[in-house]
Amino acid sequence: REKLEAVAAGLPRMAVVAADITDPSVPQMLIDTAVKTFGRLDIVHNNAGVMRIGPIDTVDVEGLCQMIHINFEALVRLSYAALRHFKSVKSGFLINTSSIAGYKTGPTLGVYDGTKFAVEAFTDALRLELAGTGIRVSAIAPGTVDTGLYAGWDPTSKEYMYSGGALAPDDIARAVRFVLEQPSHVLIPRMLIVPAAQPV
């Protein structure tokens, strides 16, 4: 909540909702809060995610399963809640954050990669289902971004991830804005954004 309120303090109008995104009641609460606060809902961006990795013999399987709940199940729940609202008003834009890991795999990353492959497939299926309805659906797939996602990693893994540099959150925000600002007859279904020197 403190982080959200700090962001809100610098914006002209914002509703703060501090909640557990894996709680099944939260997606509809977010939709209802947006409509009540702003009178309408035009864009939903699924951006919550965690990245837990590790070799088969030592990884925390419970942690991996929790990651599936956050990275995919919660995204599905919010997507369906948002899209039902968008269908009722016949417009809207859903953006799901995927990852470069939604295009390729790597050792110790199997479950994380799996969640991002799932996001890619789910998002594209939604795009096809909603084509021609006035509702647009896209996926944004970042490479390494300096968000604190790798804070708990061991130094070797972290060094590998940052070996090609890292993007800033503002870089991803510009890409999202570019996707959103296309004219209504144009859709960018997926966008991959990586540091220019990223080796993976």
Side-chain angles (χ1 to χ4, degrees):
R1 178 174 290 279
E2 290 76 16
K3 287 182 180 180
L4 293 171
E5 288 176 346
V7 172
L11 295 171
R13 195 168 174 212
M14 180 172 163
V16 171
V17 178
D20 178 355
I21 196 63
T22 63
D23 180 338
S25 69
V26 167
Q28 192 59 52
M29 179 176 63
L30 293 172
I31 304 302
D32 294 344
T33 300
V35 173
K36 181 179 178 182
T37 304
F38 304 106
R40 59 188 292 164
L41 176 63
D42 300 304
I43 302 160
V44 169
H45 185 179
N46 270 307
N47 193 49
V50 296
M51 191 173 187
R52 299 194 173 117
I53 65 168
I56 291 166
D57 52 345
T58 60
V59 73
D60 173 13
V61 173
E62 293 305 318
L64 295 181
C65 290
Q66 179 65 10
M67 178 172 63
I68 294 168
H69 288 308
I70 296 168
N71 290 10
F72 189 59
E73 181 185 331
L75 178 142
V76 168
R77 289 180 183 277
L78 183 53
S79 295
Y80 277 113
L83 292 170
R84 286 176 179 143
H85 173 77
F86 290 159
K87 285 198 84 169
S88 74
V89 297
K90 298 180 172 55
S91 69
F93 208 129
L94 174 70
I95 294 186
N96 290 330
T97 296
S98 173
S99 168
I100 189 173
Y103 296 88
K104 58 191 305 161
T105 60
T108 75
L109 290 163
V111 177
Y112 178 77
D113 295 343
T115 66
K116 295 306 182 176
F117 270 73
V119 169
E120 287 286 337
F122 175 66
T123 304
D124 201 50
L126 291 176
R127 176 186 66 82
L128 296 171
E129 181 179 343
L130 295 165
T133 65
I135 301 164
R136 292 186 284 174
V137 182
S138 294
I140 299 288
T144 302
V145 184
D146 192 15
T147 61
L149 189 64
Y150 319 105
W153 286 27
D154 66 85
T156 302
S157 298
K158 193 183 294 186
E159 183 180 348
Y160 171 73
M161 192 56 75
Y162 280 90
S163 61
L167 300 174
D170 282 353
D171 297 321
I172 305 305
R174 282 195 306 276
V176 170
R177 184 169 178 169
F178 179 77
V179 169
L180 291 169
E181 289 181 339
Q182 297 306 304
S184 61
H185 69 284
V186 174
L187 177 65
I188 300 171
R190 53 172 57 98
M191 181 182 285
L192 176 65
I193 314 114
V194 299
Q198 183 158 340
V200 295

